[in-house]
Amino acid sequence: MTTQTTTADPRDFTDDWRRWYRAHEARLADPHGFLAITGLHWLDDRPRRFPDAPGAWRSDRDGVVVLLDEKEELVIGGKPVRGEYRFGVLAERGGVDAVWGDAVIEVAKRGGHDIVRPRHPDAPLRTAFAGTPAYSPDPRWAVTGRYVPFDEPRPTTVGAAVEGLEHVYDAPGRIEFGLGGREFALTAFPGHGAGRLMVLFTDATSGVTTYAANRVLTVEPPAADGTVLLDFNRAANLPCAYTDLATCPLPPAENRLPVAIEAGLKIPRERGGS
């Protein structure tokens, strides 16, 4: 399948990209965003306390449990809780945010494991954040592709930024596109929002000018004929590009592109980028 690069007014294209970039950076640097994470604590059936969260935490077949001391309190769903609180069994890639003063204690499940991941606004990584380097936006990197759904979703296991951890996604289909006279196909995973798709990939810039492990591209819902826009100018970094306290998925093998996608976000300054 041969696809064409989209065309747009250069000023509008650049303005749209700048708005996307500012919104992305704002989410990242939110007081309780990924840069505010201070710990990644893996739970088991032994009650344990952590220096950046209240209570003693454990996990068993009935889910996550925290036991708060007499003077400790969390606010969950707008309601203060004390003593023992049971979060129940969490869904994979789901979680609950519990408020503790000006911090948020994320309680979640990743790769089949329950975790506690506190987020503190005064975390040094967040307070020192000065923005992510990026390629200048260029319309030639916004290409039209075609979404081809699978007959049924395909369970796809991928690795993670954390050694030994795996993520499983039900891939609904693939996206075919052409670039530089060559044809490619990327396995797509469900994205955030109805009909959206998520593409994890690496390319020949990975580990050179862009983060080595992965980048992510959000794709809007396909048109009735399967047409989609792959705007690689909006190829973003996942949290693991900034912090070791993330459990980000790695791309499936078929999404490791042998061409240089010189677009999107570069290696963060936190990892030595410039």
Side-chain angles (χ1 to χ4, degrees):
M1 174 187 177
T2 300
T3 52
Q4 301 296 321
T5 301
T6 63
T7 58
D9 183 288
R11 290 172 298 181
D12 291 344
F13 186 88
T14 299
D15 288 345
D16 286 345
W17 181 87
R18 286 175 176 162
R19 282 190 288 271
W20 169 84
Y21 176 80
R22 287 194 296 267
H24 175 275
E25 298 291 277
R27 287 192 299 272
L28 185 64
D30 182 87
H32 300 124
F34 272 97
L35 297 180
I37 292 174
T38 54
L40 173 57
H41 308 302
W42 302 87
L43 303 182
D44 55 30
D45 58 2
R46 299 169 298 165
R48 286 181 293 161
R49 298 187 68 92
F50 307 115
D52 49 357
W57 298 80
R58 63 182 173 86
S59 173
D60 57 30
R61 65 181 184 180
D62 295 321
V64 176
V65 182
V66 62
L67 180 60
L68 300 165
D69 285 349
E70 182 179 349
K71 295 182 179 179
E72 294 177 326
E73 179 182 276
L74 288 170
V75 177
I76 302 173
K79 298 180 179 179
V81 299
R82 294 176 178 269
E84 183 179 271
Y85 183 83
R86 293 181 172 271
F87 290 85
V89 177
L90 301 172
E92 181 63 34
R93 289 187 288 277
V96 175
D97 287 341
V99 177
W100 180 46
D102 66 351
V104 164
I105 311 301
E106 177 193 10
V107 186
K109 178 169 287 186
R110 297 293 183 268
H113 302 273
D114 290 321
I115 62 172
V116 169
R117 195 158 47 179
R119 302 174 185 231
H120 290 259
D122 60 354
L125 191 66
R126 176 183 177 271
T127 57
F129 183 59
T132 308
Y135 284 100
S136 297
D138 187 335
R140 74 186 179 96
W141 292 110
V143 301
T144 301
R146 183 168 67 93
Y147 173 65
V148 181
F150 298 139
D151 291 337
E152 58 183 36
R154 297 178 182 175
T156 304
T157 300
V158 297
V162 175
E163 186 175 355
L165 191 70
E166 291 182 333
H167 296 278
V168 180
Y169 291 89
D170 287 331
R174 67 177 181 272
I175 297 174
E176 299 174 347
F177 67 103
L179 193 63
R182 301 174 65 179
E183 305 299 323
F184 301 101
L186 293 166
T187 295
F189 293 150
H192 296 291
R196 282 186 167 185
L197 300 169
M198 174 182 74
V199 173
L200 301 168
F201 75 98
T202 59
D203 64 276
T205 70
S206 301
V208 182
T209 57
T210 63
Y211 185 58
N214 49 25
R215 284 196 286 167
V216 63
L217 186 62
T218 295
V219 181
E220 293 299 318
D225 63 355
T227 299
V228 293
L229 176 64
L230 295 171
D231 187 354
F232 287 103
N233 295 284
R234 302 188 184 198
N237 290 321
L238 289 166
C240 58
Y242 302 87
T243 175
D244 293 334
L245 304 177
T247 61
C248 304
L250 303 180
E254 64 272 20
N255 285 17
R256 302 180 186 277
L257 298 173
V259 293
I261 306 293
E262 296 176 324
L265 302 189
K266 295 183 177 182
I267 297 172
R269 294 181 177 89
E270 290 77 7
R271 300 289 195 185
S274 59

